[in-house]
Amino acid sequence: MDMTENNSPLPNNHSGRVIRLHFACRAPLPLGSFLRVTGSSLWSPFSSESQSNSSGMPPDGQSTLYSSSIEMVTTPETYPLWRTKTPVIVVVGNNAKQASDGSAEGGTAIKQESAKDFRYIHHRYRYMVVTPGADSSTQEADSDNAGNGSGSSKLSMLSLDRNKSIDEGEESFMEEYVIPVDEPTTSNTSNDVEGFTSVMVWEDPFTSIEKNLRQKSTQSLVSYKTEQTNIRCAKRQLENLPFRTLIVDTSASGNEEAISSGNGEEKLDGIRVDTWNNPNDIAFMPYTERETIRKKLTANRSSSGFLSSSSRASSRNSLSSTDSGSAQPSTKKPRLFLVCFHLPISLSYSSDGTWKASWSESLLSKTEHGDVAQTHDMHFVGTVTYPSSDSSEDSNNFFSESDKSQIEKILEPMNCTPLFLEKDLMEAHYLGMCKQVLWPAFHNIDLLDLSTSGWGQREHKLAKEGEEKDQNRMHDTTNVRSTIESDWDQSRLDKWWEAYTIVNQAFANALSDKTNKGCTVWVHDYHLSLLPKLLDTSEQARYGTRTSKMVFFLHIPFPTSQIFRELECGEAILEGMLHADVLGFHAFDHARHFLNAAKRILGLNYESLVGGLIGVQYRGKTVLVTMSNVSIETNLVDDVVNSQKVHSGTVGLQNRHLGRSIIAGVDIAQRLSGITFKLLAFERLLTDYPVWQSKVVMVQRCLIPRSRAADEANTIREVRFLIRRIQEKFGRSVVDYQEVYGSSLPIEERLSLWRAADCLMLTPVREGLNLLPMEYVYARKAPLKPGVTIASEFSAVCSILNGALRVNPFDIQATATCIDKALTMELHDKEGRRGRDIDFVSNFPRDKWTTNVLRDLNEATMNISNNEDNDSVVSAENRVDGGGSEAVDIMNTAKFLDREKEIAFTHLDFDAVHAAYKASKHRVIILDFNGTIVIKEPPGKYLKREILGTSGLKPPRSVIQALAKMTSDPRNTIFVVSGDSQENVENAIGHVSGLGLAASNGACFSNPPVTNRNWQTLELGVDWEAVKRVSLPVLSKYTARTNGSFVKLTHSSIGWSYYSCDPEWGSLQATHLVMELESELSAFDVRFVTLKGIVEIVPRRLNKGLIVRKVLTDAASSSDVDFILCMGDDISDEKMFTSVMSFVADTEQGGSSSPDHPARSNEMEDIMAIDSSIPENSSASGMSTAKNSNDPMYCYTVTVGKKTSHASRYVEDARDVANLLITMSGGDVKNDRSSSLDADETTRFDLFA
């Protein structure tokens, strides 16, 4: 390998410096096949990323967001030696050292040197074989002919026989293996828009694929292709192919390598020659060292009880039993933190002055002998409150410091961490924000209902002040405004919201002290919706990356987007929840509402994933949305149901209501429980069916938890009124009513009621998870006679219990009829309905539910396949901590390379850019417009809004001044490339005389003028008038039927915008529009760009990369370019980045007369055809003079916003771009990041007018 470096005068930092690498390889390939080497970044044979093909990207299903591979050439004289025609371009990172953390790569000398400074780049690469014409499409036909018909492509893995001498010149193909995959295995092997060629062979000298495939060779192709498990296994094996490493010394002054070649190694023109599929090549040394360590650790874990997930459940005892004399460290259970606002414990204060604690009946309580408790180190975090007395008055008791100390000690053996909140903070968070704001909103109560229907909650103390102060207020008419609060004014909630954030932060602080790398945090319910984001922020600050896995599970309904948008804090709650890896709901309705809110408020799309899951794309990751149901703890019921207390309670109820059928009801005394509707339906039953007046009784228990005092008081008043009316009309025997303080009945009383009742009736208006109906079904299991459950269709349990009778509580007549049906139902019908539910009710306790959710979490965070044990030797769930220090994870190859890529993609170093800018002599700066030098309009709370575009927007004055100053420097060539119309771009920045402009994605451009600005156009081979005649009638039809849409015409594009439409309706119409236009415009050389809110018809050959290449070529025609800065913010700018890198690679070639590189020749033919200003005698590389390899060159491709990109660096937003430009122009930037965009009132008007 040859490394050509630019000798840099840049002080202190090499960031942005261009290094060109050449490669040579000995590979005897068959006729018609060619060798290639991966480019500036290593990419896998498969990619899970999805990218639009609007800017020349590979179509969906292919290896996306490619890093172009480099063609290697040979001659009859040098065959089988292959050499790169153009160099691989590597840009030095901020720290120069892009090696892995904790892996033994590069040898001792390199590690010692790396300890001194950060001057090494670890460049990873792979060789591949391509055979033009033998792509996956031709193989699909063979697959279909075999009787499969699935359309899945085949990848032929051709392995060279390493047992034969390469010098013998014999045919080296020994076997052909067929790996069926559900995605095409094509990878982009050029910079051209349509340059996709199937990779036929990936280098695999360690036979990792061959061994696995031989084991499956006896299977038929059809049966093998139907096994999705094997398909995923094959894909994982390809993702973990071996890689080669070149360690580059960025401080070297000449053509040197950081790893010196051994004596006697073959070289070609000074380039060290690799040997195809030779495992002994020095380039494989870091990989082999790393794999050796990984395999040793695998063996160590196996010998010390480290088991695969499939065998853990059956071998729990062996996990805890270790050889006391073994030197191997013991395996620790993975830590699982269950975080809930209230700890699932019951506190009691004994007469001897001591505290006692026991597990409550909560869904979150610990199951001592469950699977999760045996395989995980479970820890609970939550608040504790002083035990309340059975009275209607709030207790003023609080914990003393002595009490807190005692409680902490008794909870420590239970693995519980209590949080003691101040009384005012607790009331503001729980009784205020949670119960008076979020709870009604999440149950679809809007502000109108709050203010007019009595749902609103005043300060509880106001209710207790009595009528005296109200009388005084009536006489004081001068101070009415100050004493009356409006439910419409959310500013009164500021203190509650502040308390809500403080409590969430308190939980985050408590967890940050206990969590470590690889643990799992499971956050429960709406009280702590901000906690996932706060934990993520804490981990990012401490470790620089996310270290724990997180679940957020919502146990109450999620409201519709219309209701949720009424919350001022709604967006913050959504963002807090979305920082978890998995979001769980009990019903699909709740998940559907959440997905709709995320789409309409945050503009996030969701997609269906393999396995029936749903994924939301947020901040560059996929958040899994899952629905998971849970039943009761049957062992607890079995322990109590046959007790004497239950038996006597059952007999007592039956004797008290002898001769009457019992309808049971246990509800929270709040309006959403629907008790009023239940009583009205019961009253209608007794009225319309007089026969039941002497044969039925309703046993109703109302629970008063005192969490919504005013709501509970209003509900109790209504219930008492209706019960009194019913008893006056039909006698006192028809209703057995009691009020119970607390949030639940004791289990003995519940089971007594279930055993005695013939029917359970629950009619909530809105409800999340309620386990009482499932407990009722189980309590009346065989041999008892079954009961009948009546469930509201607005409850979550309605979708779980298939045997329940469903009612609409608002339909009083139908509900009364349903009660009659339940009371008269035949025994065989009751048994059939019980049979539908008893299996689920009996076999899905909280332990199995927890296991299922953790399984989904693993799939979301680790992409687990059947060979999950290869993912990590020391996994996050099985770490070994020695003396409290963190163990080093040895990840599999795919995860290791992904991590390296993430580490290398860093924030742009402004100081390094400025220093390089000052040291360079000929600079080219290319900037996108909207979103880069002009901040985009922030998305509203609803996607139906004005167009997000540049119409009427201008860069801030400070940016325009910086551009004007920089363009006055003759060493600078500065272009702004926009997708907007020529008119809008010229109106915004056309007055900067030295600034080059390109509009309509480069279809028209204006070079820096002397006096007047002249625009030139590119001839793109499309009769645009004919395109308009065909497309405009179609667009007009869709515009007429889609309210808010309109047609937008620019120089070389026709757009149909649906930004102002309902997002779902607009997206649906856009899909059908593209299908119709594809048919109508099939005769024209156009393509369709589908972005969020707009569909554009553009010439197929048009993209921003063309104008960027032209600008760079023109600039280089006069003198060598030694500084390039290219910045953009969206997918249309990705072709700018790849064109920059292609140009940098070509600059080394100069006036070479060697054959054109196919990828470059296609692109340059486009430029030559549309721009006659390029001299005809220019080489295909675009350069007429050779580049002096000793001159330094700096290249910065920068994306705005951290996301998957071809760019080498990123900045946060347009404010960073503005600050950089101001700095480069010699201006001063204040510490406030927003200063450059908010310099004066004019700027603010320009930005957001």
Side-chain angles (χ1 to χ4, degrees):
M1 275 146 241
D2 170 67
M3 182 191 72
T4 303
E5 286 195 39
N6 295 312
N7 217 356
S8 172
L10 186 67
N12 301 327
N13 200 328
H14 302 286
S15 176
R17 192 172 175 187
V18 170
I19 295 178
R20 297 176 175 86
L21 305 175
H22 275 286
F23 296 86
C25 183
R26 176 178 291 272
L29 305 182
L31 187 64
S33 296
F34 301 91
L35 193 67
R36 302 185 76 96
V37 64
T38 51
S40 58
S41 63
L42 184 60
W43 41 283
S44 298
F46 294 92
S47 172
S48 60
E49 298 163 354
S50 177
Q51 196 74 289
S52 171
N53 60 4
S54 59
S55 60
M57 298 295 173
D60 291 339
Q62 296 184 350
S63 182
T64 58
L65 212 57
Y66 65 91
S67 295
S68 300
S69 62
I70 304 300
E71 184 185 25
M72 303 184 73
V73 296
T74 187
T75 65
E77 293 77 18
T78 60
Y79 180 82
L81 291 177
W82 300 76
R83 185 188 188 278
T84 48
K85 174 78 182 318
T86 56
V88 173
I89 300 301
V90 176
V91 178
V92 179
N94 288 348
N95 292 329
K97 180 178 179 291
Q98 299 173 3
S100 64
D101 297 334
S103 61
E105 304 200 3
T108 306
I110 294 303
K111 288 193 289 184
Q112 290 175 349
E113 196 68 32
S114 298
K116 298 177 182 179
D117 52 30
F118 297 97
R119 68 186 192 185
Y120 296 106
I121 291 178
H122 287 200
H123 177 70
R124 319 290 183 185
Y125 63 101
R126 290 181 177 128
Y127 291 112
M128 70 195 80
V129 175
V130 298
T131 306
D135 57 16
S136 58
S137 60
T138 61
Q139 299 178 26
E140 287 179 16
D142 298 334
S143 175
D144 295 339
N145 293 336
N148 186 304
S150 65
S152 298
S153 63
K154 301 186 295 180
L155 173 64
S156 299
M157 296 299 302
L158 308 176
S159 175
L160 293 180
D161 188 352
R162 292 182 300 277
N163 297 322
K164 295 182 179 181
S165 172
I166 295 178
D167 295 333
E168 294 175 3
E170 300 179 7
E171 287 294 332
S172 55
F173 295 106
M174 57 178 289
E175 294 185 51
E176 178 176 297
Y177 296 100
V178 177
I179 303 178
V181 294
D182 50 1
E183 297 178 15
T185 58
T186 53
S187 295
N188 193 341
T189 54
S190 78
N191 279 334
D192 193 17
V193 173
E194 299 180 357
F196 303 107
T197 304
S198 296
V199 177
M200 304 307 296
V201 181
W202 291 91
E203 193 177 27
D204 183 22
F206 303 98
T207 65
S208 58
I209 294 179
E210 293 176 15
K211 291 178 181 178
N212 286 282
L213 293 178
R214 287 195 183 103
Q215 297 172 2
K216 304 175 178 66
S217 60
T218 59
Q219 301 182 16
S220 68
L221 179 62
V222 174
S223 64
Y224 182 60
K225 292 190 70 172
T226 59
E227 297 184 11
Q228 294 298 319
T229 298
N230 291 338
I231 290 174
R232 289 195 299 269
C233 183
K235 291 178 66 173
R236 175 59 58 88
Q237 290 156 5
L238 288 176
E239 289 173 348
N240 288 283
L241 281 172
F243 57 85
R244 294 175 179 263
T245 300
L246 174 66
I247 303 181
V248 182
D249 186 351
T250 62
S251 65
S253 59
N255 300 339
E256 301 172 0
E257 292 183 11
I259 299 181
S260 60
S261 301
N263 294 329
E265 284 194 339
E266 184 180 8
K267 291 192 175 183
L268 177 64
D269 297 332
I271 306 172
R272 192 189 69 204
V273 178
D274 293 326
T275 302
W276 168 269
N277 253 14
N278 182 7
N280 297 320
D281 272 4
I282 190 174
F284 278 122
M285 185 176 68
Y287 170 81
T288 55
E289 288 186 4
R290 189 175 184 280
E291 284 299 295
T292 299
I293 295 175
R294 211 170 73 89
K295 291 175 181 177
K296 286 181 179 179
L297 288 174
T298 302
N300 291 343
R301 293 301 166 271
S302 299
S303 63
S304 60
F306 177 75
L307 302 175
S308 65
S309 59
S310 60
S311 58
R312 285 177 197 146
S314 61
S315 306
R316 294 189 193 99
N317 294 333
S318 63
L319 281 173
S320 58
S321 61
T322 58
D323 185 3
S324 59
S326 173
Q328 299 294 337
S330 61
T331 301
K332 285 189 176 182
K333 295 180 182 178
R335 300 203 76 183
L336 172 62
F337 288 90
L338 295 172
V339 188
C340 45
F341 184 71
H342 296 292
L343 275 177
I345 59 169
S346 297
L347 285 176
S348 60
Y349 189 71
S350 60
S351 57
D352 59 358
T354 60
W355 287 94
K356 295 182 180 180
S358 61
W359 293 109
S360 67
E361 292 183 40
S362 169
L363 173 66
L364 309 181
S365 297
K366 185 176 181 180
T367 305
E368 293 292 344
H369 303 291
D371 290 345
V372 178
Q374 296 297 316
T375 57
H376 289 75
D377 178 14
M378 300 177 65
H379 199 96
F380 295 80
V381 179
T383 64
V384 290
T385 54
Y386 204 92
S388 59
S389 59
D390 293 339
S391 68
S392 60
E393 297 295 327
D394 288 339
S395 174
N396 292 319
N397 294 328
F398 57 91
F399 294 111
S400 65
E401 293 301 321
S402 176
D403 292 335
K404 294 177 183 179
S405 178
Q406 285 188 45
I407 292 172
E408 287 176 347
K409 289 181 180 179
I410 64 172
L411 292 182
E412 185 175 358
M414 302 171 70
N415 282 345
C416 293
T417 298
L419 271 68
F420 301 95
L421 302 179
E422 297 295 331
K423 182 179 180 181
D424 292 342
L425 182 62
M426 171 76 82
E427 290 182 351
H429 170 271
Y430 183 70
L431 298 179
M433 192 68 201
C434 290
K435 287 301 181 180
Q436 299 187 27
V437 179
L438 298 183
W439 189 88
F442 274 67
H443 286 80
N444 277 306
I445 307 300
D446 62 19
L447 286 177
L448 181 62
D449 292 327
L450 284 172
S451 61
T452 61
S453 303
W455 295 101
Q457 296 277 302
R458 294 288 186 264
E459 296 286 347
H460 186 51
K461 62 181 181 181
L462 186 63
K464 298 197 294 184
E465 287 176 352
E467 298 181 357
E468 182 176 349
K469 290 189 177 181
D470 292 335
Q471 294 289 340
N472 295 334
R473 290 196 191 99
M474 293 178 60
H475 299 288
D476 185 8
T477 59
T478 61
N479 198 30
V480 172
R481 183 175 299 274
S482 63
T483 58
I484 297 179
E485 291 180 334
S486 170
D487 285 298
W488 295 83
D489 183 10
Q490 295 191 48
S491 63
R492 67 189 179 90
L493 308 181
D494 289 347
K495 292 184 178 179
W496 287 351
W497 176 248
E498 181 183 2
Y500 187 85
T501 57
I502 291 174
V503 170
N504 275 258
Q505 186 62 62
F507 273 83
N509 295 340
L511 282 167
S512 62
D513 294 336
K514 296 181 177 296
T515 57
N516 49 30
K517 186 177 180 182
C519 67
T520 299
V521 179
W522 187 340
V523 182
H524 288 274
D525 230 1
Y526 66 107
H527 315 87
L528 303 172
S529 63
L530 303 182
L531 184 54
K533 182 178 181 180
L534 295 174
L535 279 177
D536 181 88
T537 303
S538 174
E539 292 179 358
Q540 293 285 352
R542 293 175 63 186
Y543 306 113
T545 185
R546 174 79 161 268
T547 59
S548 64
K549 298 179 289 185
M550 275 189 269
V551 179
F552 181 88
F553 211 101
L554 188 66
H555 297 281
I556 63 174
F558 195 92
T560 63
S561 60
Q562 289 89 343
I563 300 296
F564 196 78
R565 288 202 314 274
E566 296 177 2
L567 293 174
E568 290 183 353
C569 57
E571 189 169 335
I573 290 175
L574 277 181
E575 291 178 346
M577 295 171 62
L578 283 164
H579 275 74
D581 299 296
V582 171
L583 292 174
F585 300 88
H586 286 297
F588 177 70
D589 273 353
H590 307 163
R592 178 168 54 85
H593 289 159
F594 170 81
L595 294 171
N596 199 26
K599 182 175 184 178
R600 293 173 177 264
I601 296 175
L602 298 179
L604 303 178
N605 292 321
Y606 58 89
E607 59 183 348
S608 298
L609 305 177
V610 176
L613 302 173
I614 300 173
V616 178
Q617 296 297 322
Y618 180 69
R619 297 175 66 91
K621 72 170 185 176
T622 300
V623 180
L624 198 67
V625 177
T626 181
M627 285 67 66
S628 184
N629 298 321
V630 62
S631 183
I632 60 172
E633 298 303 301
T634 56
N635 58 325
L636 296 180
V637 177
D638 292 336
D639 291 342
V640 179
V641 71
N642 294 318
S643 66
Q644 181 61 37
K645 190 173 182 179
V646 171
H647 177 72
S648 60
T650 302
V651 173
L653 281 170
Q654 292 172 337
N655 292 336
R656 190 187 314 165
H657 306 294
L658 193 63
R660 292 178 180 265
S661 298
I662 297 177
I663 302 174
V666 178
D667 303 274
I668 300 291
Q670 296 174 2
R671 284 193 169 185
L672 290 182
S673 296
I675 308 174
T676 300
F677 293 115
K678 182 194 300 186
L679 293 174
L680 290 174
F682 183 65
E683 183 182 37
R684 180 68 61 87
L685 172 76
L686 299 179
T687 302
D688 293 352
Y689 301 87
V691 67
W692 290 115
Q693 293 177 8
S694 60
K695 296 182 179 181
V696 70
V697 59
M698 175 171 284
V699 179
Q700 178 64 43
R701 301 292 181 260
C702 285
L703 307 177
I704 307 176
R706 290 172 293 192
S707 58
R708 288 177 49 81
D711 185 9
E712 292 161 7
N714 291 335
T715 302
I716 289 296
R717 184 167 56 251
E718 290 180 358
V719 169
R720 289 174 180 174
F721 171 78
L722 287 173
I723 288 176
R724 186 165 54 250
R725 188 174 75 182
I726 292 171
Q727 290 178 335
E728 289 174 355
K729 290 173 63 176
F730 305 107
R732 298 185 61 86
S733 299
V734 296
V735 178
D736 179 352
Y737 173 72
Q738 289 183 17
E739 296 170 4
V740 180
Y741 285 95
S743 57
S744 66
L745 277 179
I747 187 172
E748 294 85 0
E749 293 185 29
R750 295 201 310 269
L751 293 177
S752 298
L753 181 56
W754 303 155
R755 285 291 185 105
D758 301 281
C759 175
L760 172 65
M761 185 176 183
L762 300 173
T763 56
V765 178
R766 307 275 192 279
E767 189 178 52
L769 179 66
N770 188 347
L771 296 178
L772 295 184
M774 287 178 267
E775 190 177 74
Y776 174 75
V777 171
Y778 186 78
R780 299 188 66 88
K781 66 179 180 178
L784 270 67
K785 291 182 179 180
V788 180
T789 303
I790 300 176
S792 166
E793 63 185 41
F794 302 112
S795 64
V797 77
C798 182
S799 61
I800 299 175
L801 294 182
N802 297 316
L805 293 176
R806 295 172 173 83
V807 296
N808 181 346
F810 295 96
D811 190 341
I812 303 299
Q813 182 62 58
T815 304
T817 303
C818 188
I819 299 174
D820 177 69
K821 179 180 179 180
L823 296 174
T824 58
M825 187 176 294
E826 298 291 337
L827 179 61
H828 71 275
D829 194 1
K830 293 181 181 180
E831 291 175 341
R833 290 179 177 273
R834 180 178 66 183
R836 301 179 199 173
D837 300 324
I838 194 66
D839 183 63
F840 171 81
V841 169
S842 304
N843 297 302
F844 280 85
R846 57 176 171 241
D847 192 69
K848 182 173 288 189
W849 169 65
T850 304
T851 301
N852 291 339
V853 175
L854 293 179
R855 178 202 61 207
D856 291 340
L857 175 64
N858 285 332
E859 292 185 2
T861 55
M862 301 182 70
N863 286 326
I864 289 182
S865 66
N866 286 324
N867 58 341
E868 65 176 357
D869 291 329
N870 292 329
D871 281 354
S872 178
V873 174
V874 187
S875 70
E877 296 185 356
N878 295 277
R879 297 186 313 108
V880 177
D881 297 337
S885 63
E886 294 186 359
V888 177
D889 289 355
I890 306 298
M891 297 169 286
N892 68 355
T893 298
K895 293 183 179 297
F896 164 73
L897 295 174
D898 287 342
R899 182 182 179 188
E900 273 207 337
K901 183 177 180 181
E902 181 180 354
I903 293 173
F905 189 54
T906 58
H907 193 281
L908 184 67
D909 187 337
F910 288 4
D911 293 336
V913 176
H914 190 205
Y917 175 81
K918 292 191 295 183
S920 56
K921 300 176 181 178
H922 189 186
R923 311 143 180 159
V924 176
I925 300 174
I926 300 172
L927 305 168
D928 173 49
F929 186 60
N930 187 37
T932 303
I933 62 172
V934 172
I935 191 170
K936 280 186 176 179
E937 296 178 37
K941 277 206 156 192
Y942 189 59
L943 286 184
K944 184 174 180 178
R945 57 185 186 270
E946 295 301 320
I947 291 182
L948 287 178
T950 59
S951 179
L953 294 183
K954 300 178 181 180
R957 180 177 299 174
S958 56
V959 172
I960 293 178
Q961 291 172 349
L963 290 174
K965 187 173 182 179
M966 294 169 69
T967 54
S968 64
D969 189 334
R971 295 173 294 178
N972 293 341
T973 300
I974 304 179
F975 253 81
V976 173
V977 182
S978 174
D980 207 348
S981 66
Q982 171 184 328
E983 179 183 5
N984 288 337
V985 175
E986 187 169 4
N987 288 339
I989 52 178
H991 60 282
V992 183
S993 60
L995 185 64
L997 302 179
S1000 300
N1001 289 320
C1004 53
F1005 60 93
S1006 171
N1007 291 315
V1010 178
T1011 53
N1012 297 322
R1013 187 172 290 279
N1014 295 319
W1015 287 86
Q1016 305 175 52
T1017 60
L1018 302 180
E1019 178 53 53
L1020 298 168
V1022 179
D1023 185 351
W1024 208 241
E1025 292 302 319
V1027 173
K1028 289 181 180 179
R1029 286 194 298 270
V1030 174
S1031 61
L1032 286 179
V1034 178
L1035 294 170
S1036 299
K1037 177 177 64 176
Y1038 279 86
T1039 302
R1041 69 169 61 142
T1042 311
N1043 182 42
S1045 65
F1046 62 90
V1047 178
K1048 181 180 180 182
L1049 300 176
T1050 63
H1051 179 272
S1052 296
S1053 69
I1054 303 173
W1056 185 75
S1057 172
Y1058 58 95
Y1059 271 119
S1060 298
C1061 309
D1062 180 274
E1064 294 186 27
W1065 176 243
S1067 297
L1068 179 64
Q1069 292 298 298
T1071 300
H1072 290 285
L1073 172 63
V1074 171
M1075 295 172 60
E1076 188 167 342
L1077 287 176
E1078 284 179 342
S1079 175
E1080 296 292 332
L1081 298 176
S1082 59
F1084 298 93
D1085 191 24
V1086 297
R1087 59 187 174 93
F1088 301 93
V1089 179
T1090 304
L1091 299 175
K1092 185 179 292 186
I1094 193 168
V1095 174
E1096 281 191 293
I1097 308 168
V1098 297
R1100 189 177 300 277
R1101 297 164 66 186
L1102 177 63
N1103 62 74
K1104 288 185 177 181
L1106 290 178
I1107 190 65
V1108 168
R1109 185 60 183 255
K1110 180 189 182 303
V1111 171
L1112 290 169
T1113 303
D1114 289 346
S1117 62
S1118 59
S1119 63
D1120 296 335
V1121 175
D1122 57 0
F1123 178 93
I1124 301 175
L1125 173 64
C1126 182
M1127 308 184 78
D1129 75 300
D1130 60 29
I1131 189 172
S1132 65
D1133 302 318
E1134 294 297 323
K1135 281 298 286 185
M1136 295 202 307
F1137 303 146
T1138 56
S1139 292
V1140 168
M1141 300 307 292
S1142 177
F1143 170 82
V1144 173
D1146 291 341
T1147 55
E1148 187 194 46
Q1149 291 301 105
S1152 172
S1153 60
S1154 55
D1156 291 336
H1157 185 290
R1160 290 179 290 108
S1161 61
N1162 290 335
E1163 185 177 87
M1164 292 307 300
E1165 284 174 5
D1166 285 343
I1167 298 178
M1168 294 286 286
I1170 61 183
D1171 185 10
S1172 59
S1173 64
I1174 299 181
E1176 294 183 0
N1177 60 354
S1178 296
S1179 68
S1181 66
M1183 293 294 297
S1184 59
T1185 58
K1187 172 76 177 171
N1188 183 355
S1189 62
N1190 289 325
D1191 290 340
M1193 185 175 190
Y1194 304 98
C1195 179
Y1196 303 92
T1197 52
V1198 184
T1199 184
V1200 181
K1202 188 175 184 180
K1203 52 185 174 288
T1204 306
S1205 173
H1206 294 309
S1208 59
R1209 299 291 178 270
Y1210 73 92
V1211 294
E1212 295 294 342
D1213 52 31
R1215 292 176 174 84
D1216 278 348
V1217 178
N1219 290 341
L1220 175 62
L1221 294 176
I1222 294 171
T1223 300
M1224 293 170 64
S1225 67
D1228 294 328
V1229 178
K1230 298 179 181 179
N1231 292 331
D1232 183 6
R1233 289 181 66 251
S1234 64
S1235 60
S1236 59
L1237 290 181
D1238 300 319
D1240 50 39
E1241 293 297 328
T1242 304
T1243 295
R1244 282 190 286 272
F1245 177 79
D1246 288 341
L1247 280 172
F1248 304 106

